[in-house]
Amino acid sequence: MVFAQTTEGHIVAVPASLGLEGYPVLAVDGRTGVDLCVAEDRMTVVNAWIRLKREAVAEAKARLRTDPGQWRTVRMLDLRNTHGVVLSVVWPSEKGPTQGTHPELDAPSSTTPRFCSRRQDREGNVIECDEAYLQMFGYEAEEEVVGRPTFERVHADDQARLIESWIAMVATARVQMARVRMMRQDGSWLWVDTSYHNYLGPEDHGYVLAECIDVSAEMAAQEALKDREVLLRRLVEEMPDGLFQLDRERAVVYHNARLLEILRGAPSSIEARSEDEAKAAGVERLDAVLEPFTDEGRRAIEAVIGRAENEGAAEDVEVEAILAPAERRHILLKVRPLTRDSGVVSGVVASVQDVTDSARARRELEKRATFDALTGAQNRPSIIAALRAELEISNETGIIYIDLDRFKLVNDTLGHAAGDELLVQASMRLKQAMRINDALGRLGGDEFLILLRGVSGRGVAMSAAERISEALCDGYELSCGRHLLSASIGVAYARDSSAGAEELIERADAAMYRSKGERRGTPAFASTS
């Protein structure tokens, strides 16, 4: 027998140019060559097809669904360049493949046969059966099954499918197949693929030949796979994180209900587990997922997804989303590429977490590590680090060192609460007198440091220091009464030397002590030596 196939494997008419009119030709019915074989032999044919594409010729041994008891040799010839088809020649084989030659066929030996046949009349009653049939279904003698209809031993959920195949076989006289569960003698169920051959015509023998293949192992594997899929789906749905999957066209293939709950505030009962359900829920493409995010957030997410698709990069990105009017939430996305065994990225999967609380806690810790809790000014390490960073990029930098005069007297006579109140008011005046780009730090106690950025000369630094002095040297309204305060101020300018941050502060400190010694409340400029 010969038949021809397209590049995709579909059976087509054998070209007349091959001159094979004298050979039996398989009818053209749109099926593929793989469909002709029993399920257990299909991978053998697939592997041969792969070898054919590489070597132009391949051979395999397989059993046809219409005659599963007979092994056949299939030789494939790649004639696409000359005749536009792949030609397959099929002839009977005395035995199957050698054990180990085709691992997909190797299986533990069993005394129970996996193939059997029976003959039935037009009403479906058994006329006769072979010994394999008795063994497969656990009967001791043929008399136990002859005269009984097979339909009564088919599982109730499968009877409609079997009857439909039987009616089609009788009406069309074509081979029909049905996969059903049939009851064995002990009451257990056995999955079988049954092929029905119509020999009811007057020129035939007046019976239906039913050939059965035991597919219980295949069905058990499918059931196990379904169980794992159900378990995986349940785990995914119960995850505290939102989850979505994209294909290469950035269509949403899957998302769990938690994703809607996080990004849209939808109740957790909303489920969109399949592609159709995802479309119905309005999450069909990536744009719908990104809708709640800020413009900056969308750009960041799309960039990470692009790198995952094109470079196979796995990255995390934290962005902001606006889930309700004036309600901003911090969302963490963990984007991972989905890579096939060949290394090709087929899509992207991402988990989505609402990390607003942890982000706020992190900002609070950063604030505590950076700013003085009492005055709101930067603390000593922070302001020194800022000065060091500024000196690395520019020498047009100045600093103002401030010490509040007679502050210790306030603490000793009026108490620490009054001292704290005085520090708070003094820092507020400093902030109001500073330029917007300058930075205020509290070095400790009643000492402050102002970082002047972009100072073009000494005169600008001294003008800023005089403005600071005027703002500080005035009366302060405290809870315990009015208090007068002055300040000693030292100024240093980075262009005057190549001093680092600590040395520049020391020079400004020395200038501040000169200002304090003069007792006039006027700023003093640091010496260049």
Side-chain angles (χ1 to χ4, degrees):
M1 181 177 65
V2 297
F3 61 93
Q5 294 171 267
T6 65
T7 300
E8 292 75 25
H10 294 101
I11 298 173
V12 295
V14 175
S17 58
L18 286 172
L20 297 176
E21 291 79 1
Y23 287 84
V25 178
L26 188 70
V28 180
D29 58 5
R31 290 183 296 175
T32 66
V34 175
D35 295 331
L36 302 178
C37 304
V38 298
E40 292 82 354
D41 299 347
R42 289 173 182 171
M43 277 308 302
T44 303
V45 178
V46 170
N47 290 333
W49 185 265
I50 294 173
R51 291 197 305 274
L52 171 79
K53 296 295 185 68
R54 184 175 63 249
E55 302 172 7
V57 62
E59 187 174 295
K61 289 189 177 182
R63 293 157 294 187
L64 299 182
R65 288 166 53 182
T66 56
D67 188 10
Q70 172 68 59
W71 283 98
R72 285 175 168 79
T73 298
V74 183
R75 180 167 295 171
M76 306 176 188
L77 305 173
D78 190 351
L79 306 180
R80 290 175 295 171
N81 288 340
T82 54
H83 299 278
V85 297
V86 172
L87 181 69
S88 292
V89 184
V90 185
W91 66 89
S93 178
E94 294 182 358
K95 58 182 180 179
T98 304
Q99 185 79 1
T101 303
H102 299 278
E104 63 275 6
L105 293 178
D106 296 343
S109 61
S110 173
T111 58
T112 303
R114 300 184 61 248
F115 310 100
C116 67
S117 64
R118 65 181 182 269
R119 295 183 181 183
Q120 298 174 252
D121 59 20
R122 183 179 294 272
E123 286 72 33
N125 299 311
V126 177
I127 301 174
E128 63 178 350
C129 64
D130 58 13
E131 182 64 26
Y133 183 86
L134 298 177
Q135 293 183 39
M136 278 180 63
F137 291 97
Y139 294 100
E140 296 182 359
E142 189 175 2
E143 290 75 14
E144 297 181 60
V145 297
V146 171
R148 295 174 55 186
T150 56
F151 299 120
E152 67 181 17
R153 293 188 294 110
V154 175
H155 195 284
D157 293 343
D158 305 332
Q159 287 179 356
R161 186 164 59 253
L162 178 63
I163 292 173
E164 182 181 350
S165 297
W166 182 272
I167 293 174
M169 179 268 302
V170 173
T172 65
R174 296 183 57 140
V175 176
Q176 298 293 327
M177 289 193 63
R179 175 169 289 190
V180 297
R181 284 162 288 185
M182 292 190 65
M183 183 183 294
R184 302 177 77 250
Q185 175 67 4
D186 60 5
S188 61
W189 295 99
L190 183 69
W191 277 101
V192 292
D193 272 350
T194 305
S195 299
Y196 294 105
H197 304 265
N198 188 334
Y199 297 117
L200 295 171
E203 68 280 4
D204 295 319
H205 305 289
Y207 63 83
V208 173
L209 175 63
E211 296 177 318
C212 299
I213 305 174
D214 179 0
V215 293
S216 54
E218 178 186 344
M219 295 303 295
Q222 291 183 14
E223 290 297 327
L225 180 60
K226 288 180 181 178
D227 290 342
R228 288 194 295 270
E229 290 177 347
V230 170
L231 175 61
L232 177 61
R233 190 176 296 277
R234 176 60 61 186
L235 291 174
V236 169
E237 289 298 330
E238 296 299 328
M239 285 177 60
D241 301 348
L243 191 71
F244 67 90
Q245 177 187 346
L246 304 175
D247 61 17
R248 289 293 298 185
E249 284 71 40
R250 296 196 174 182
V252 177
V253 177
Y254 170 84
H255 72 80
N256 62 358
R258 178 61 177 155
L259 180 74
L260 298 180
E261 187 177 355
I262 292 175
L263 297 184
R264 297 187 176 181
S268 58
S269 60
I270 292 182
E271 299 177 353
R273 295 186 171 88
S274 68
E275 186 175 357
D276 292 338
E277 291 171 327
K279 293 178 180 179
V283 184
E284 183 178 353
R285 298 195 58 81
L286 177 62
D287 294 344
V289 177
L290 299 183
E291 184 179 349
F293 293 95
T294 62
D295 292 341
E296 182 180 357
R298 292 192 196 100
R299 289 192 293 270
I301 295 172
E302 289 178 339
V304 170
I305 291 176
R307 288 191 290 271
E309 292 172 335
N310 301 322
E311 305 170 17
E315 296 182 57
D316 300 346
V317 58
E318 185 174 323
V319 293
E320 275 193 330
I322 304 175
L323 305 185
E327 181 187 356
R328 289 180 174 262
R329 308 292 292 180
H330 283 262
I331 305 297
L332 174 65
L333 282 83
K334 297 183 177 180
V335 180
R336 301 293 182 266
L338 294 174
T339 308
R340 296 195 178 105
D341 293 339
S342 61
V344 176
V345 177
S346 61
V348 170
V349 64
S351 66
V352 179
Q353 303 174 27
D354 188 334
V355 294
T356 304
D357 293 339
S358 60
R360 288 172 179 169
R362 184 174 65 249
R363 287 200 304 270
E364 182 62 27
L365 290 175
E366 292 173 351
K367 181 178 179 181
R368 293 181 182 180
T370 304
F371 296 94
D372 174 56
L374 178 64
T375 63
Q378 292 181 237
N379 56 27
R380 182 184 184 91
S382 176
I383 194 64
I384 293 177
L387 173 59
R388 189 179 294 116
E390 189 66 26
L391 290 175
E392 289 179 356
I393 61 176
S394 173
N395 62 354
E396 293 187 346
T397 303
I399 58 173
I400 301 175
Y401 199 111
I402 304 158
D403 179 87
L404 302 181
D405 296 333
R406 298 184 299 279
F407 176 76
K408 186 175 182 301
L409 179 63
V410 175
N411 269 343
D412 293 343
T413 58
L414 302 178
H416 288 285
D420 289 348
E421 193 177 356
L422 185 60
L423 287 174
V424 170
Q425 292 190 26
S427 64
M428 290 177 60
R429 294 189 182 188
L430 289 173
K431 293 173 184 177
Q432 293 171 355
M434 289 165 41
R435 299 178 306 174
I436 190 171
N437 290 331
D438 296 337
L440 172 65
R442 183 185 177 193
L443 299 178
D446 60 345
E447 295 181 337
F448 293 87
L449 184 73
I450 295 179
L451 168 60
L452 303 174
R453 294 186 173 96
V455 178
S456 58
R458 283 186 166 199
V460 176
M462 283 299 292
S463 296
E466 291 170 355
R467 188 169 63 253
I468 293 296
S469 177
E470 292 176 1
L472 289 176
C473 298
D474 199 355
Y476 291 78
E477 297 295 338
L478 306 179
S479 301
C480 57
R482 184 177 176 80
H483 184 78
L484 296 176
L485 187 68
S486 61
S488 300
I489 298 175
V491 183
Y493 187 44
R495 189 184 286 181
D496 291 341
S497 68
S498 59
E502 288 77 6
E503 184 178 347
L504 197 64
I505 292 174
E506 290 178 1
R507 292 174 53 208
D509 186 25
M512 182 273 295
Y513 274 104
R514 283 197 290 112
S515 172
K516 187 180 290 287
E518 294 173 357
R519 298 179 178 274
R520 292 184 299 175
T522 56
F525 210 95
S527 172
T528 57
S529 61

